[in-house]
Amino acid sequence: MISAPDVVAFTKEDEYEEEPYNEPVLPEEYSVPLFPFSSQGANPWSKLSGAKFSRDFILISEFSEQVGPQPLLTIPNDTKVFGTFDLNYFSLRIMSVDYQASFVGHPPGSAYPKLNFVEDSKVVLGDSKEGAFAYVHHLTLYDLEARGFVRPFCMAYISADQHKIMQQFQELSAEFSKASEYLKTGNRKAFAVELEKKLKDLDYTRTVLHTETEIQKKANDKGFYSSQAIEKANELASVEKSIIEHQDLLKQIRSYPHRKLKGSDLCSGEMEHTQDQPDQAATASNSDECPDTDLYTCRPAYTPKLIKAKSTKCFDKKLKTLEELCDTDYFTKTLAQLSHIEHMFRGDLCYLLTSQIDRALLKQQHITNFLFEDFADVYDRVVEKQESILSKPVQDRLPCRSLEECPIPQVLISVGSYKSSVESVLIKMEQEFGGEDYKEVEVAELSSFDIQENLDYLDMDMKGSISSGESIEVLGTEKSSSVLSKSDSQASLMVPLSPQVIRSKAVSHRTISEDSIEVLSTCPSEALIPDDFKASYPSAINEESYADDSEEAIHFQASIDLTKMGEPEEGNLENTSSQADSCCIGKESDSLLVPLSTPVHTLSDEDGVVSIPPQRYRPKDQGFSMDFVVENANSSSRDNSSEGFPAYELDPSHLLASRDVSKTSLDNYSDTASYVSSVVSTSLDRTPSSAHPTGPSSERHKKRAGQNALKFIRQYPFAHPAIYSLLSGRTLVVLGEDEAIVRKLVTALSIFVPNYSHCAKPVKHWVSSPLHITDFQKWKLIGLQRVASPASVSTLHILSRYSRYTSILDLDNKTLRCPLYRGTLVPRLADHRTQIKRGSTYYLHVQSMLTQLCSKAFLYTFCHHLHLPAHSKEAEELAASRQARFLKLNLGLVNEDVKVVQYLAELLKLHYIRESPGTSQPMLRGESGTWTAVWAEAVETEAALPSPSAWRTGTCRKSLMHLHISVVGSPVHGG
Amino acid sequence: MAEENEFIFRGIRSSLLKKSPLQTIGEEQTQNPYTELLVLKAHHDIVRFLVRLDDCRFASAGDDGLVVIWNAQTGEKLLELNGHTQKITAITTIPSLEACEEKNQLILTASADRTVIISLNLEESEIAVLWNCDSGRQVQKISCFQSTVKCLTVLQRLDVWLSGGNDLCVWNRKLDLLCKTSHLSDTGISALIEIPKNCVVAAVGKELIIFRLVAPTEGSLEWDILEVKRLLDHQDNILSLANVNDLNFVTGSHVGELIIWNILDWTVQACERNFWDPSPQLDTQQEIKLCQKPNDISIHHFTWDEENVFAAVGRGLYVYNLQMKRVTACQKTAHDSVVLHVARLPDRQLISCSEDGSVRIWELREKPQLAAEPVPTGFFNMWGFGRVNKQASQPVKKQQENATSCLLELVGDLIGHSSSVEMFLYFEDHGLVTCSADHLIILWKNGERESGLRSLKLFQKLEENGDLHLAV
């Protein structure tokens, strides 16, 4: 009944190698092998293995002594997630790995049953038939009524991606151990309570029996005992014995080895109690008084019951549920931890890996990383896993060396990622590969691992992790392969050497670089550009709202109904645009569109100009109208998503609904040649993978900020000076009447605001009271309410008064008052003609640009000779000229860009000098130098800029293009 | 800035283009070095006084009765002294005695609660001692005053200090009352300075009273204070009183009379008068009618250098040359409101602060061409206000044209305070400190210099951490 060894994934190997691969231009680690299954109409992120579940989930199973292995619950608790996947069968699989060699009961030589505090065991299982791979975490809970007092459970992380399980083994293990610790702690607590109750019952029973015996004795003064009396006496004796046994058990459970609790503060509550009270509690429970001092007994008084003499194991009794076995608090914590795990490991492996590497690298930039990085979500996770993560990038950085030493460098990295603790019980694989060579490589690599890691590993208590029979594929257990490779019983680590890993690694390399995306998009030989686009997105995994995407789909399929869709403020414009929509949709399935649209893309890329106007004259140019519609649907849905539809984002069923939609559209996605189809189909993969450890909110926030920033850049001709103001530390005040719009823009622009420290960004989203000088000192980006009352006079007066420190962006009039900007840095950062279409992509783009900027600031700050005089007599002017030269020649900065780097350098200095964070106050900088107010004159702007409601529809895009020209050509007023 | 009340974004440019008598400067202030500022918050009411303690510390005092000691470099709050229950009316420091080894700088504060507190300006380690025991020599409180003390002066040479309220009292360092005058007036002494020959000048209403202090000699062990002379040349209340140099002291009154006195024989050396009374017979050759309202011509503060006395007259600034005995430069509307404090900076620069909340930096320059100078016209436009004045205006105008040979040019406008700026202090090394009625103190810093200092600190810290590897 258990399937043959899992070779499915590896049989594809031949096919993969036969694939013609004649593009040696890129280094191998950046190259993207053609997707071997593309002929089957599948994208790389579709379900290869034929798994019956739609995405990863967590399963908790029990080996019930009554019915055998059974599934208890899944996380997320949604039947759609695991679909037709046979949970019962899989529970059997995972529970049948009988790791539990622990003995519970009466050990020889011991009068009483002994509780054995066993370690959890961690196993990786695979089932090719089901297409499921699982990290399985076995644990034992105590139950007074169970056989041997133990109930075996397991928690399994089930994924269709084997490599994910293998490579994230260490992380999974750490996270599941936490969950297990919660569960076991709660269980010990509950078990102790149970024992106390039982003791009281027994005590009561004894009293009853005792009185009965006394009564019988009195009744029977003839001097002989009736059989009844003897029976009673026996019963009494057994109760006495039972009491002693239970007291002993209670003592044992309370004297749970505390060393195991060390470091896990979650159990502190239990610790403080159990350390000083076990004896006292044990004795107290002897007496009839309820031991109220005991923290375990903080509950309503328990009325003891009489226990029948023969009440032991019978099969009709109902075993406790998992919830009953565990203290409620801890059970809730466990569930929270499990859903945290589910969130954490969502998404494609390559995304998980790149984000891990990303975080690790960021962490290393400890001098500059505070400037632009959002650290709230990094610290909690990285700190505890520092070693394991940091070990990766180190290897990652030495591709040359590893390229020489081994055939497939990426594999080594991935091995490193789950350290040496995955043992592979190899089945059949040796036949497929020449195992010996790989083994050597592995061993060599393993030997270079941290000693610390090995020590860590050795600390783990190894209970017998024996695979129970050939039928089960135990792909890995906790044993160290470095240890095992010495024993000849085990083969070497073969699993990660699959070509799949190589592919996914390569993809991950490709997708993090924004450039390569563009390369792909312009490559004329690629027939399926949208497909490739799509392929690149899932790595940028985030909640790139499926709500948006499904909205897009809806827009597309029912564009005629656009006006009914509840966007009254854009009604008119929608009407005009919906014509275009329907026009396109009519031709959506026209396969000719593909070759048409591709050259257009290429053209626009090369020219660096999106030439929109021709589109007007040639409305039937499908490539362009398609592009336009995409924009349209996109921008309208953005607004939808930000203003409503929270249900879409929260309800997983919607997620699945959108997935269904995408599946249907998947059939003809190659025909539509539009961005939308790829969006829809990628949503299939992306949506389940919020992937960031702290959950989707921050990710969604970033995405939305990116989207709105992109919108701002495209729509406001003065985006560059505004961003320059933020980067150079000049407070930008966003003035407007509508709070929602102001907040949205402030959020969008906040991605450009440098931080003072690791604390929150100096951004104030919405203020309605007049500003003070302290506000300008504290905040670098302020959303200010414009009120049509006399109060506004003072507000505006203050703004004008402090104009030396502020740039004022008037949202209602579309004006910006700020210094002139003539640098080259911001145009690269915020190109209004950018091909980036997605908020998250743009966010990443901004992050990478800002990181470059940070490194420049770092260089500038820490170059000794720039700031200190070469000798004591040197004039200050010389140092100043050196600085200027360095900024210009070495860092390539022009004009105002210099000030950006200088400001960042000051922040770096302040941050570095600061002894303890927070003592020094941020400086408010009023800048001297060239000051020119840039005015997008109201008259011009109003004529050229569409009304706010029009922005959302995207119809304004063309007019915006005109506007750019007109504004560029418009007079820039000197101040 | 009344015009700016109509400020609208589109309208700002036009409003700036309106003919405004106030000289303005744009955001581009290339000569203004103060590009960084630090807002210090500790007071809960108007901050009125700033006193420099040493090269890097200063004390602030305000209407909340608090005295706060700050680090001028970092803006760090070092100490907070609270002993007064009402607003502080005067503050001064008593320098430590040269003979005395310990550097005990004392701060003397007088308050409207009719007490004077003498407090030791302590290093941080000593705070605890001081404020925990709250007794002994370190803090002393005198509350035997009949009236609010409005001014405090230390006569270092005699090692005594004087408090001026409704009467004048002389105290020694141990806070023993040595002697006092009789009740002088209900308005009390508004200003007090030391002049040679153990004399002090007190401004009491319109009068200047010279007192002589008699130190104990072999003959008498008692201190005594004697009224020597009353000078009645001012027509209105004397608002400002200052020592200019070894030869002169200067007084300014509410109606714009500026009188230079001989410090030794107390005679009028020169007089710059601005009469509210339009009677022409009082016009002497040196009299100038400066402004039309008495409030606009009240002289609030002086500063001086070797050649000039700089007077804050109403909303304007005037430079009075001591040699030429005439106004050599003026800026009639330097601020929107009354100028409260002026001080000289190196490089012929001048700082002024005003009730309008602004602090401005001026530079005194030689006027390039007298004839083509537009300033005098602006000056006289406002000048011929009353009908009577027109008669007097012509001769004065001519004279004025000849007189203003220099120019006060605005080089920087430090905008930060939202309310009247009461006072400021200038530190050579650390920049400028201003205090204001908006409860704030702002530390203005030279951005370039600070950046250099930060770099220096950075590399020092790198070196301390052992991270600095100099290229060979």
Side-chain angles (χ1 to χ4, degrees):
Chain A
M1 96 187 194
I2 290 168
S3 68
D6 183 13
V7 291
V8 179
F10 307 116
T11 52
K12 300 281 200 290
E13 149 105 318
D14 293 342
E15 197 182 339
Y16 161 71
E17 285 187 338
E18 282 163 16
E19 202 71 41
Y21 190 66
N22 302 322
E23 289 176 286
V25 193
L26 285 169
E28 194 176 351
E29 63 266 34
Y30 295 117
S31 69
V32 185
L34 292 176
F35 183 55
F37 308 107
S38 55
S39 56
Q40 298 159 26
N43 70 341
W45 281 270
S46 66
K47 294 169 287 179
L48 292 181
S49 46
K52 289 171 181 159
F53 48 94
S54 53
R55 59 168 164 133
D56 298 357
F57 65 98
I58 295 169
L59 171 68
I60 299 183
S61 302
E62 178 196 6
F63 195 100
S64 163
E65 61 193 56
Q66 290 171 348
V67 297
Q70 58 170 351
L72 297 180
L73 62 105
T74 61
I75 291 164
N77 190 14
D78 184 349
T79 49
K80 282 171 187 159
V81 169
F82 51 87
T84 57
F85 185 67
D86 190 347
L87 292 179
N88 279 312
Y89 170 71
F90 204 75
S91 295
L92 173 67
R93 295 286 310 273
I94 57 179
M95 285 311 291
S96 52
V97 185
D98 190 8
Y99 72 100
Q100 207 74 53
S102 58
F103 180 84
V104 182
H106 294 262
S110 165
Y112 309 119
K114 282 276 182 230
L115 290 179
N116 209 339
F117 299 108
V118 288
E119 294 287 337
D120 301 346
S121 85
K122 301 143 188 180
V123 185
V124 174
L125 288 172
D127 185 337
S128 61
K129 198 175 124 201
E130 294 284 324
F133 298 89
Y135 164 87
V136 187
H137 194 109
H138 292 279
L139 71 155
T140 313
L141 298 183
Y142 299 108
D143 183 358
L144 201 51
E145 289 154 30
R147 187 178 56 190
F149 304 122
V150 289
R151 304 262 305 265
F153 287 89
C154 80
M155 300 180 286
Y157 185 88
I158 301 170
S159 168
D161 185 358
Q162 175 187 356
H163 313 294
K164 184 170 172 181
I165 303 286
M166 299 302 275
Q167 298 191 23
Q168 298 292 310
F169 182 85
Q170 208 58 43
E171 288 78 9
L172 280 167
S173 163
E175 294 299 319
F176 271 103
S177 297
K178 272 193 225 160
S180 162
E181 210 47 59
Y182 283 129
L183 200 57
K184 288 193 289 185
T185 310
N187 171 248
R188 279 195 298 276
K189 214 169 157 182
F191 186 61
V193 169
E194 197 60 32
L195 274 172
E196 278 162 19
K197 284 184 186 170
K198 183 71 182 265
L199 274 172
K200 270 181 221 156
D201 290 347
L202 287 170
D203 203 57
Y204 178 71
T205 313
R206 182 178 62 180
T207 323
V208 171
L209 285 175
H210 206 72
T211 35
E212 281 176 11
T213 323
E214 288 302 311
I215 291 164
Q216 276 183 353
K217 266 189 196 166
K218 278 179 190 165
N220 253 325
D221 47 358
K222 289 173 188 171
F224 66 92
Y225 297 106
S226 65
S227 62
Q228 204 186 1
I230 292 168
E231 200 178 293
K232 280 272 180 244
N234 281 340
E235 213 174 298
L236 191 62
S238 87
V239 166
E240 294 279 7
K241 185 173 173 251
S242 186
I243 286 177
I244 294 170
E245 279 180 15
H246 281 84
Q247 278 172 358
D248 191 66
L249 279 176
L250 187 64
K251 210 169 174 178
Q252 285 180 47
I253 196 77
R254 282 180 173 159
S255 62
Y256 176 74
H258 295 298
R259 56 181 170 80
K260 292 180 185 169
L261 295 174
K262 270 175 196 165
S264 58
D265 48 351
L266 50 110
C267 305
S268 56
E270 190 194 50
M271 269 174 76
E272 63 190 51
H273 164 68
T274 47
Q275 271 170 346
D276 47 11
Q277 286 200 327
D279 290 341
Q280 183 213 331
T283 48
S285 54
N286 266 338
S287 62
D288 275 1
E289 289 96 44
C290 184
D292 277 331
T293 50
D294 194 339
L295 286 177
Y296 278 85
T297 60
C298 289
R299 60 183 183 276
Y302 174 69
T303 17
K305 296 188 292 268
L306 190 67
I307 294 174
K308 274 183 265 169
K310 310 268 181 190
S311 69
T312 45
K313 329 277 187 287
C314 47
F315 274 87
D316 52 342
K317 77 167 186 260
K318 190 179 170 293
L319 282 174
K320 289 193 185 64
T321 64
L322 181 58
E323 200 168 352
E324 288 167 334
L325 278 176
C326 185
D327 181 78
T328 322
D329 286 352
Y330 284 98
F331 188 69
T332 332
K333 273 190 195 171
T334 311
L335 290 184
Q337 170 67 14
L338 288 177
S339 58
H340 169 68
I341 295 172
E342 197 267 323
H343 269 282
M344 193 168 156
F345 292 98
R346 263 189 208 174
D348 194 83
L349 175 62
C350 66
Y351 174 72
L352 290 180
L353 289 176
T354 43
S355 61
Q356 279 169 3
I357 291 169
D358 190 36
R359 279 196 298 273
L361 288 174
L362 263 182
K363 200 136 174 72
Q364 290 182 328
Q365 302 182 314
H366 62 277
I367 288 182
T368 55
N369 62 11
F370 72 94
L371 282 173
F372 292 104
E373 298 302 329
D374 190 12
F375 258 78
D377 50 0
V378 178
Y379 273 128
D380 57 343
R381 199 177 157 203
V382 172
V383 168
E384 59 192 63
K385 303 197 304 180
Q386 209 167 345
E387 306 150 55
S388 68
I389 289 179
L390 285 180
S391 68
K392 278 183 290 182
V394 171
Q395 294 169 359
D396 208 7
R397 278 209 200 133
L398 304 165
C400 309
R401 196 206 63 158
S402 43
L403 269 169
E404 288 162 15
E405 283 179 9
C406 53
I408 308 157
Q410 283 87 0
V411 175
L412 291 177
I413 295 162
S414 54
V415 169
S417 71
Y418 65 105
K419 297 201 272 185
S420 54
S421 51
V422 177
E423 162 208 4
S424 123
V425 180
L426 197 73
I427 304 154
K428 272 198 184 174
M429 284 189 203
E430 281 155 291
Q431 296 161 11
E432 311 264 337
F433 297 91
E436 288 300 311
D437 295 337
Y438 291 110
K439 182 159 75 177
E440 277 175 24
V441 170
E442 289 303 321
V443 170
E445 186 58 34
L446 288 168
S447 61
S448 71
F449 280 160
D450 263 348
I451 295 168
Q452 180 58 42
E453 287 176 6
N454 286 330
L455 287 179
D456 272 356
Y457 159 69
L458 289 170
D459 267 352
M460 295 174 185
D461 193 357
M462 272 177 292
K463 295 285 164 188
S465 53
I466 306 145
S467 63
S468 65
E470 312 149 11
S471 53
I472 298 168
E473 311 147 20
V474 181
L475 294 179
T477 71
E478 214 175 311
K479 287 200 177 175
S480 159
S481 51
S482 60
V483 172
L484 282 164
S485 55
K486 287 168 195 159
S487 75
D488 38 16
S489 69
Q490 304 292 340
S492 66
L493 252 177
M494 295 307 303
V495 180
L497 293 173
S498 130
Q500 303 293 329
V501 177
I502 304 161
R503 181 182 56 78
S504 60
K505 287 304 285 189
V507 166
S508 77
H509 273 288
R510 169 172 65 101
T511 48
I512 48 170
S513 119
E514 194 255 334
D515 289 347
S516 56
I517 292 172
E518 288 180 356
V519 167
L520 282 171
S521 68
T522 52
C523 173
S525 64
E526 259 322 317
L528 294 173
I529 283 165
D531 195 12
D532 261 304
F533 249 104
K534 173 175 58 183
S536 69
Y537 278 119
S539 72
I541 294 170
N542 45 44
E543 298 272 290
E544 187 78 30
S545 56
Y546 40 85
D548 294 8
D549 299 336
S550 62
E551 264 308 300
E552 278 163 20
I554 291 165
H555 272 260
F556 251 74
Q557 282 148 15
S559 57
I560 310 297
D561 295 335
L562 271 175
T563 46
K564 297 177 190 168
M565 288 201 58
E567 296 177 41
E569 76 268 36
E570 36 187 89
N572 291 335
L573 291 147
E574 280 292 347
N575 275 337
T576 56
S577 69
S578 64
Q579 277 193 325
D581 275 353
S582 51
C583 150
C584 300
I585 285 159
K587 308 199 172 174
E588 203 170 34
S589 56
D590 189 352
S591 60
L592 281 174
L593 281 174
V594 180
L596 267 181
S597 64
T598 312
V600 169
H601 271 290
T602 318
L603 249 178
S604 62
D605 263 354
E606 284 166 1
D607 293 345
V609 176
V610 180
S611 46
I612 294 294
Q615 189 194 345
R616 280 187 165 168
Y617 308 117
R618 295 186 294 142
K620 287 184 181 174
D621 183 329
Q622 282 116 344
F624 253 126
S625 56
M626 197 53 79
D627 192 27
F628 164 61
V629 170
V630 166
E631 194 55 32
N632 175 7
N634 237 357
S635 47
S636 63
S637 65
R638 274 179 207 150
D639 264 22
N640 281 343
S641 68
S642 51
E643 280 157 16
F645 299 101
Y648 268 120
E649 291 155 14
L650 299 173
D651 188 358
S653 66
H654 275 290
L655 187 157
L656 289 157
S658 78
R659 293 165 60 85
D660 290 339
V661 169
S662 63
K663 251 184 258 175
T664 56
S665 71
L666 224 153
D667 295 334
N668 57 349
Y669 72 90
S670 54
D671 294 336
T672 56
S674 85
Y675 167 67
V676 170
S677 69
S678 74
V679 166
V680 173
S681 51
T682 46
S683 74
L684 171 136
D685 299 291
R686 203 177 323 109
T687 42
S689 45
S690 88
H692 223 275
T694 39
S697 62
S698 64
E699 201 64 38
R700 187 175 299 155
H701 171 82
K702 283 178 190 170
K703 176 213 68 185
R704 200 156 285 165
Q707 271 179 352
N708 288 324
L710 205 52
K711 204 161 90 177
F712 173 73
I713 288 155
R714 291 210 172 112
Q715 298 185 352
Y716 286 80
F718 46 70
H720 291 174
I723 291 168
Y724 163 66
S725 288
L726 294 172
L727 287 176
S728 59
R730 185 180 170 97
T731 301
L732 179 69
V733 179
V734 178
L735 187 71
E737 273 176 48
D738 186 345
E739 176 171 358
I741 293 176
V742 171
R743 273 182 183 276
K744 209 196 282 178
L745 184 57
V746 169
T747 313
L749 289 175
S750 66
I751 63 176
F752 301 105
V753 180
N755 287 346
Y756 300 139
S757 62
H758 286 304
C759 311
K761 288 222 168 203
V763 173
K764 184 88 182 159
H765 285 81
W766 183 247
V767 179
S768 47
S769 56
L771 296 169
H772 293 285
I773 187 79
T774 41
D775 295 319
F776 297 119
Q777 187 178 18
K778 203 168 169 191
W779 310 112
K780 289 297 170 200
L781 176 58
I782 304 175
L784 180 67
Q785 182 181 26
R786 175 201 295 273
V787 275
S789 70
S792 70
V793 174
S794 75
T795 305
L796 294 178
H797 176 66
I798 283 164
L799 274 186
S800 73
R801 188 178 169 79
Y802 296 132
S803 59
R804 193 169 180 228
Y805 316 115
T806 56
S807 295
I808 299 155
L809 173 59
D810 188 330
L811 262 185
D812 302 327
N813 298 322
K814 312 280 176 304
T815 60
L816 175 72
R817 195 186 169 286
C818 68
L820 182 66
Y821 175 72
R822 294 160 301 169
T824 57
L825 198 129
V826 178
R828 268 180 280 147
L829 183 67
D831 183 5
H832 63 272
R833 294 174 301 216
T834 179
Q835 292 295 307
I836 297 171
K837 294 197 168 77
R838 309 196 63 85
S840 54
T841 319
Y842 183 66
Y843 183 85
L844 291 174
H845 168 68
V846 169
Q847 286 290 305
S848 79
M849 291 290 293
L850 292 178
T851 309
Q852 285 178 30
L853 191 56
C854 286
S855 59
K856 285 184 177 173
F858 177 83
L859 274 179
Y860 175 67
T861 313
F862 287 89
C863 265
H864 188 267
H865 72 283
L866 290 179
H867 302 283
L868 301 184
H871 48 85
S872 54
K873 285 173 191 168
E874 196 186 52
E876 280 182 28
E877 289 77 34
L878 271 176
S881 72
R882 267 205 306 272
Q883 290 172 17
R885 224 175 27 242
F886 181 81
L887 287 168
K888 194 177 176 188
L889 300 178
N890 296 50
L891 298 183
L893 300 168
V894 290
N895 299 333
E896 280 76 21
D897 291 341
V898 168
K899 278 184 194 153
V900 173
V901 170
Q902 279 173 337
Y903 174 66
L904 295 182
E906 293 307 314
L907 289 181
L908 287 179
K909 286 181 206 168
L910 277 173
H911 188 255
Y912 190 84
I913 294 167
R914 203 172 296 162
E915 249 74 44
S916 56
T919 51
S920 167
Q921 296 171 43
M923 295 275 183
L924 180 65
R925 294 164 65 83
E927 302 202 24
S928 59
T930 321
W931 280 94
T932 313
V934 171
W935 285 84
E937 276 293 280
V939 189
E940 272 177 73
T941 318
E942 272 168 8
L945 266 184
S947 70
S949 58
W951 312 338
R952 301 176 197 143
T953 64
T955 50
C956 60
R957 193 163 168 230
K958 281 172 280 182
S959 60
L960 275 172
M961 290 304 162
H962 288 305
L963 181 73
H964 271 294
I965 298 153
S966 69
V967 168
V968 167
S970 76
V972 173
H973 302 278
Chain B
M1 210 180 284
E3 288 83 4
E4 289 197 11
N5 283 340
E6 312 152 13
F7 172 80
I8 303 172
F9 278 82
R10 284 183 230 168
I12 182 174
R13 284 166 56 83
S14 58
S15 87
L16 289 176
L17 292 177
K18 272 184 194 167
K19 193 80 179 171
S20 164
L22 183 71
Q23 188 180 352
T24 52
I25 184 168
E27 282 162 359
E28 181 187 351
Q29 303 173 8
T30 46
Q31 287 168 300
N32 178 2
Y34 300 104
T35 53
E36 283 185 11
L37 64 87
L38 209 54
V39 180
L40 313 180
K41 264 179 122 167
H43 287 279
H44 320 297
D45 208 335
I46 299 173
V47 190
R48 288 194 192 273
F49 302 101
L50 293 171
V51 178
R52 181 190 182 120
L53 301 177
D54 52 35
D55 282 344
C56 65
R57 286 184 307 163
F58 66 92
S60 65
D63 283 5
D64 52 3
L66 273 183
V67 178
V68 183
I69 298 173
W70 305 88
N71 181 326
Q73 167 58 29
T74 60
E76 198 184 343
K77 186 164 96 173
L78 300 174
L79 271 178
E80 192 174 299
L81 316 174
N82 34 138
H84 286 294
T85 56
Q86 287 186 44
K87 67 177 187 178
I88 288 170
T89 53
I91 180 167
T92 190
T93 59
I94 307 180
S96 52
L97 291 173
E98 279 165 24
C100 197
E101 278 297 305
E102 42 180 341
K103 280 194 123 186
N104 286 342
Q105 201 175 15
L106 297 170
I107 301 177
L108 210 51
T109 52
S111 158
D113 59 13
R114 297 185 178 182
T115 60
V116 167
I117 289 186
I118 181 165
S119 52
L120 195 59
N121 170 24
L122 294 156
E123 299 305 320
E124 273 194 73
S125 56
E126 293 168 83
I127 309 169
V129 181
L130 170 66
W131 292 106
N132 283 347
C133 53
D134 207 288
S135 61
R137 281 179 59 235
Q138 287 164 331
V139 176
Q140 290 198 33
K141 197 169 186 172
I142 318 167
S143 49
C144 56
F145 294 98
Q146 305 301 312
S147 61
T148 301
V149 173
K150 288 182 180 166
C151 46
L152 295 165
T153 301
V154 177
L155 305 186
Q156 217 177 331
R157 206 163 30 86
L158 298 172
D159 196 22
V160 293
W161 55 274
L162 285 79
S163 65
N166 290 350
D167 48 14
L168 187 63
C169 305
V170 183
W171 311 79
N172 68 7
R173 199 177 269 263
K174 292 172 185 165
L175 301 195
D176 301 321
L177 178 63
L178 301 174
C179 57
K180 62 185 275 189
T181 65
S182 56
H183 181 85
L184 293 168
S185 91
D186 287 336
T187 51
I189 298 170
S190 59
L192 194 64
I193 55 162
E194 180 190 6
I195 53 174
K197 297 194 283 189
N198 286 359
C199 289
V200 290
V201 184
V204 184
K206 298 174 191 175
E207 297 176 0
L208 281 177
I209 307 176
I210 315 274
F211 293 98
R212 174 171 287 137
L213 217 64
V214 182
T217 56
E218 285 160 14
S220 67
L221 292 169
E222 294 291 306
W223 285 83
D224 202 2
I225 187 158
L226 306 167
E227 184 179 324
V228 182
K229 190 168 185 183
R230 285 191 185 227
L231 307 169
L232 303 165
D233 296 71
H234 275 292
Q235 307 291 314
D236 205 337
N237 287 339
I238 296 163
L239 297 177
S240 46
L241 171 65
N243 273 316
V244 176
N245 49 29
D246 292 341
L247 299 172
N248 302 307
F249 68 91
V250 62
T251 55
S253 81
H254 190 62
V255 289
E257 304 154 305
L258 183 149
I259 300 178
I260 316 271
W261 306 84
N262 186 311
I263 208 164
L264 296 171
D265 55 14
W266 316 314
T267 55
V268 176
Q269 291 283 302
C271 181
E272 199 69 55
R273 280 211 178 142
N274 312 286
F275 289 108
W276 177 236
D277 180 12
S279 53
Q281 71 272 17
L282 284 174
D283 275 355
T284 63
Q285 55 170 6
Q286 286 178 327
E287 280 169 6
I288 308 166
K289 176 90 183 159
L290 292 175
C291 279
Q292 59 270 46
K293 286 184 207 160
N295 193 39
D296 279 353
I297 53 170
S298 58
I299 299 174
H300 279 271
H301 195 248
F302 294 114
T303 187
W304 59 90
D305 59 9
E306 295 75 27
E307 302 169 2
N308 301 310
V309 171
F310 304 93
V313 182
R315 301 193 292 164
L317 289 175
Y318 288 82
V319 181
Y320 183 86
N321 191 298
L322 288 171
Q323 243 104 62
M324 292 188 273
K325 295 189 176 176
R326 65 171 194 217
V327 172
T328 53
C330 67
Q331 188 69 52
K332 277 188 63 69
T333 45
H335 288 269
D336 269 329
S337 189
V338 174
V339 180
L340 295 175
H341 200 86
V342 284
R344 236 179 46 82
L345 295 186
D347 305 329
R348 287 172 75 83
Q349 286 190 336
L350 186 69
I351 310 182
S352 61
C353 69
S354 151
E355 276 182 356
D356 66 2
S358 63
V359 178
R360 296 185 150 199
I361 306 172
W362 308 85
E363 195 168 294
L364 190 63
R365 290 179 188 162
E366 297 296 328
K367 206 181 266 186
Q369 286 175 333
L370 281 177
E373 189 47 51
V375 168
T377 50
F379 181 84
F380 289 107
N381 276 348
M382 353 179 23
W383 194 70
F385 197 72
R387 196 179 297 162
V388 192
N389 289 341
K390 278 184 181 170
Q391 306 157 356
S393 67
Q394 291 310 318
V396 178
K397 186 176 181 178
K398 277 176 194 161
Q399 190 206 345
Q400 194 65 30
E401 274 178 12
N402 298 332
T404 54
S405 57
C406 292
L407 192 64
L408 275 178
E409 188 163 324
L410 182 64
V411 295
D413 195 356
L414 305 182
I415 294 170
H417 288 295
S418 57
S419 185
S420 163
V421 181
E422 299 288 327
M423 199 177 173
F424 56 83
L425 266 186
Y426 173 73
F427 285 86
E428 287 265 297
D429 296 332
H430 310 300
L432 195 67
V433 189
T434 57
C435 67
S436 159
D438 61 7
H439 312 178
L440 299 177
I441 296 166
I442 296 183
L443 202 52
W444 305 84
K445 300 237 167 203
N446 182 332
E448 269 175 49
R449 185 210 290 261
E450 291 299 311
S451 169
L453 287 175
R454 278 194 287 268
S455 281
L456 215 61
K457 253 192 215 167
L458 177 88
F459 288 109
Q460 271 169 9
K461 190 168 176 188
L462 271 173
E463 206 163 357
E464 280 166 24
N465 296 355
D467 293 333
L468 189 63
H469 304 290
L470 291 174
V472 184

